[in-house]
Amino acid sequence: MSGSASLAESSTGSSGALKPYLKRKKSSLGETKIAILGYEGVGKSECKYKHSAIVDGENTAFEILDTRSLSGDCGAREDVLRWADGFMLVYSVVCRKTFEVLRDLHKKIEEFRRGTTVPIVIVGNKSDLAHMRQVTQVEGLKLAAELGCPFVELSASEDVTKVVEAFHTLCRDIIDYKRRSRTFLDRVFGAFGREKPSS
Ligand SMILES: Nc1nc2c(ncn2[C@@H]2O[C@H](COP(=O)(O)OP(=O)(O)OP(=O)(O)O)[C@@H](O)[C@H]2O)c(=O)[nH]1
């Protein structure tokens, strides 16, 4: 995936040890790092979306990592969980298993990032395959409500607008979260800067 220097391919050094393929880079308010997670074949690579956009008055550069699910890990490897500002959890409405793994996936993210709020959106993909549907829209809505996440059902191959909408929803939550964290830090550290020296 192209993008900023914070992403680099996995490589093996002279020692033979595997180097991490993501380098940590603190993102600014106007930069949003999103990882797409989900079981094999749910259509994550169809959800790739990369550009700059004004989201709620904020010029935002998206950096999107389309993970590859390996051995059922849904792409949720430690470096990915550490790197992202927010997550898009994708399942396929025509495969119940891909839906059922989401609760554990959500738990894994929460446990890894404990102590911090992690913006997450849940996406039910392949809604165009109505005749093969195994997961109803109501089930998707219920799970999202239970986990406290926004929910979108869409067809990545037929409705790009909805894919954009899903990214913007997540991006909005990430920006809100960053603003709140910044306000808190400003209050803590700003107070020291404003203190007058005692005479
Ligand atoms: N009908 C339909 N097919 C889709 C849709 N989105 C993706 N697909 C198809 O689903 C298949 C799997 O999509 P991928 O994007 O490769 O899935 P993935 O989640 O990246 O899979 P891994 O890389 O193995 O983790 C491909 O054949 C896509 O064309 C959709 O909205 N509707």
Side-chain angles (χ1 to χ4, degrees):
M1 158 145 200
S2 62
S4 88
S6 62
L7 287 178
E9 286 301 313
S10 170
S11 62
T12 309
S14 51
S15 63
L18 190 70
K19 292 180 189 167
Y21 71 97
L22 297 173
K23 289 180 192 159
R24 186 94 174 100
K25 183 181 143 198
K26 202 173 184 321
S27 57
S28 68
L29 195 63
E31 205 181 37
T32 302
K33 296 191 287 194
I34 295 172
I36 310 175
L37 307 179
Y39 207 77
E40 286 96 331
V42 296
K44 296 184 295 295
S45 46
E46 298 285 326
C47 293
K48 257 188 220 161
Y49 172 68
K50 187 176 185 297
H51 80 156
S52 291
I54 305 285
V55 181
D56 293 347
E58 187 84 42
N59 190 15
T60 305
F62 289 90
E63 229 186 296
I64 295 154
L65 179 65
D66 164 34
T67 62
R68 181 118 195 268
S69 181
L70 301 169
S71 316
D73 73 355
C74 295
R77 293 172 283 281
E78 283 200 3
D79 44 3
V80 175
L81 297 183
R82 201 174 295 115
W83 172 82
D85 295 320
F87 299 89
M88 181 174 280
L89 307 191
V90 186
Y91 69 92
S92 162
V93 301
V94 300
C95 178
R96 177 155 287 277
K97 183 175 174 60
T98 67
F99 177 70
E100 285 172 349
V101 296
L102 288 199
R103 203 176 265 107
D104 279 350
L105 182 55
H106 185 272
K107 194 168 161 214
K108 189 173 178 180
I109 296 169
E110 296 262 287
E111 283 176 359
F112 190 82
R113 302 273 290 255
R114 65 181 173 275
T116 56
T117 307
V118 191
I120 294 172
V121 64
I122 293 180
V123 174
N125 189 30
K126 307 197 187 183
S127 63
D128 55 298
L129 300 175
H131 56 294
M132 294 164 70
R133 189 185 271 273
Q134 290 184 4
V135 185
T136 66
Q137 188 166 16
V138 171
E139 285 178 293
L141 278 164
K142 268 191 187 163
L143 179 70
E146 183 196 317
L147 301 178
C149 305
F151 171 71
V152 188
E153 195 177 270
L154 52 80
S155 164
S157 52
E158 289 193 353
D159 193 352
V160 177
T161 321
K162 278 212 164 174
V163 178
V164 172
E165 205 180 286
F167 276 109
H168 281 211
T169 300
L170 180 55
C171 183
R172 209 167 276 129
D173 284 354
I174 292 171
I175 290 174
D176 276 355
Y177 175 67
K178 284 186 181 178
R179 276 206 184 110
R180 272 183 274 122
S181 319
R182 183 176 275 194
T183 309
F184 173 73
L185 289 175
D186 281 350
R187 252 185 272 135
V188 174
F189 295 109
F192 291 116
R194 283 195 294 275
E195 250 174 28
K196 285 184 184 161
S198 54
S199 50

